[in-house]
Structure formats: C-alpha cells, structure tokens
Amino acid sequence: MKQRIKQRTKQNVMLSLAGAVPLAGFCVCWLLPLGMTFWYAFRRSAFDLRFAGFDNFAYLMGNRYFHTGMGNLLLLGGGMIGGALAVALVLAPLLCVHPRMARAGTALLLLPLLIPSISAVKLWQSVFDTSSYLAPASAVASILTLFLWKYAGVGGVLLSTALKKLPQSILDAAALDGAGRFRCYVSIRLPMVGAQLAGVLIVMTMFMFRVYKESYLLFGLYPSEDVYMLQHYMNNQYQKMNLQYVTAAAVILIVLALVLYGLGYLALRRRRALA
C-alpha cells in the first residue's frame, strides 16, 4: 500500500514538473510580452517612462492615419471574412459529393497554407497592379483574392467535415418531401451545422488579423490610403521609436480581436445550446 502511494506521489510530481515547463514557457513568451505591451501603452515614451494616463489613446483617437488604418482594417477585414465564408459555403457541399474527389480536393484547398507568402505574392504581383498609388482598385482586389485563395479553402474543409456527420435519414426524409438539393442545403443542412459555421467564422477572423504580412509584401511600408491598415500604422510608428503609440494601438487591436472572438464564441455557445 505504501509503495503504491509512493508511486502515485512520484507520478504526480513528474506530471507537475512536465506541466510546469510549458506553463513557464507560456508565461515568458506570451504573458510577459503582453504585460509589457499594456505597461508601455500608459507611458509617455520609450525614453520617458512616467505614467501618461490615457494620453496615448487620446492621441490615436485624433490621428488621421490611425483612423484610416482602423477603418480599412474593419472594411477590408469584413470583406475578407465575408468572402471567405461565402466561398466556404460553396466548397463544402462539393467536398461531400464524391469521397475520392473530396480527398484530392481537401489536399488542394489546404495546399495554399504550405506555400510561402513571398512565392504567392510574386504571382499576384504579376497579375495585379500592386503599385497602389496608381491603381487602388487593383490593390484592393489583389489583397482580397490572395486572402480568399490562401484561407477560404480551410473554411470549406472544416464545414464539409461537419456536413458529412449529419444523419443521412434526415436528408432522405427531406428529399421525399420534395426538397431539392439547394433547399435541403440552405434550410436543413446549414442550420444543423450552425455551431461549426460559427467556428469557421472565428478561424477566418483569426486569419484576417494575420494578413499584414501579405499586405506588406504586396504594397510595402507606405501603401495608398485604400489598403493602409492599422498594422502599417503600427509598423511605421515603431520605426520612429514611438513605442507608446505602437503599444497603445496594439492594446486597441487586442480589445477589438477579443470583442470579435467573443461574439463568435457567444454565437457558438448559442447554437450548441439550441442543439
């Protein structure tokens, strides 16, 4: 009995030590930088660490370029998320038709995630005029289509996985009642995977906040106002060593992301509760 208790104690200690390593890494690599971001956001500058209250946030609220970056982030981001969701809704039922074609289709749709962004950007620059000062419409089209090509397929794969798990008996009953494929898909299948649809929306939102890399490679540091996003503003302020404005903008971006993720999570919880 004592030996068994000793073995259990030893196992608990080993498990605690094993869990302490990733926890320490999480605190050092994520919580510590996040805490420093919030700390710097309320300082006068990187060289004057006196408490500044909400002066940095007030400066951003009155800055024209911050307004432009935030507005374009919301506008282009909404177009990216909405377009990706629409493409996913079209791709998902197609992946459910033929199992063999679904495997190949899934591989092709996930392939863009493995292609380096610089390679995709070079191809897009050969198709679109990314000199955004001369062709803003082409610049907007390039970033939107690049986002759809790279990330919309992920939503289609996730949604098709949920559709495949639906009971076939319900679909057969709807077909006997005269529901066509489109009506069955819109009125029966999609409502039944509402929770997964909310999850796809959260994933697309996450990818939207990561699109700055592609935007930077396409347009450089100083794009036109049509594609100038909040991340551009933060990067330019960082080069000027205005860390107080960079961190204040980062805090606003964090709050925005949490709000969007929270709305998606609430929608997900609501759909699960109704189910």
Side-chain angles (χ1 to χ4, degrees), residues 115-165:
I115 297 178
S117 297
I118 186 63
S119 302
V121 164
K122 289 299 181 182
L123 175 62
W124 252 252
Q125 286 177 333
S126 66
V127 176
F128 295 94
D129 181 10
T130 58
S131 56
S132 53
Y133 293 99
L134 301 177
S138 178
V140 172
S142 64
I143 189 64
L144 288 178
T145 54
L146 180 58
F147 181 87
L148 296 180
W149 171 78
K150 192 165 187 178
Y151 299 116
V154 179
V157 172
L158 294 176
L159 195 57
S160 67
T161 303
L163 292 175
K164 292 176 183 178
K165 295 180 180 180

Side-chain angles (χ1 to χ4, degrees), residues 31 39 56 66 71 86 92 121-122 125 154 157 195 207 211 218 237 245 253 273:
L31 288 182
W39 188 78
N56 298 328
F66 178 83
V121 164
K122 289 299 181 182
Q125 286 177 333
V154 179
V157 172
F207 286 140
V211 78
L218 280 171
Q237 291 296 325
Y245 301 140
L253 192 61

Side-chain angles (χ1 to χ4, degrees), residues 26 30 62-63 82 93 107 134 149 174 179 213 230 246-247:
F26 174 77
W30 195 85
N63 187 275
L134 301 177
W149 171 78
K213 178 175 63 175
L230 183 60
V246 176
T247 52

Side-chain angles (χ1 to χ4, degrees), residues 163 166 183-197 271 274-275:
L163 292 175
L166 295 179
R183 181 65 181 275
C184 183
Y185 178 59
V186 174
S187 302
I188 298 176
R189 301 177 75 184
L190 283 183
M192 294 181 67
V193 296
Q196 290 78 6
L197 196 59
R271 298 300 305 186
L274 293 175

Side-chain angles (χ1 to χ4, degrees), residues 132-133 216 219-224 228 232 236 239-240:
S132 53
Y133 293 99
Y216 172 76
F219 314 120
L221 286 174
Y222 298 96
S224 72
Y228 184 90
H232 291 99
N236 295 336
Q239 289 189 336
K240 298 175 182 177

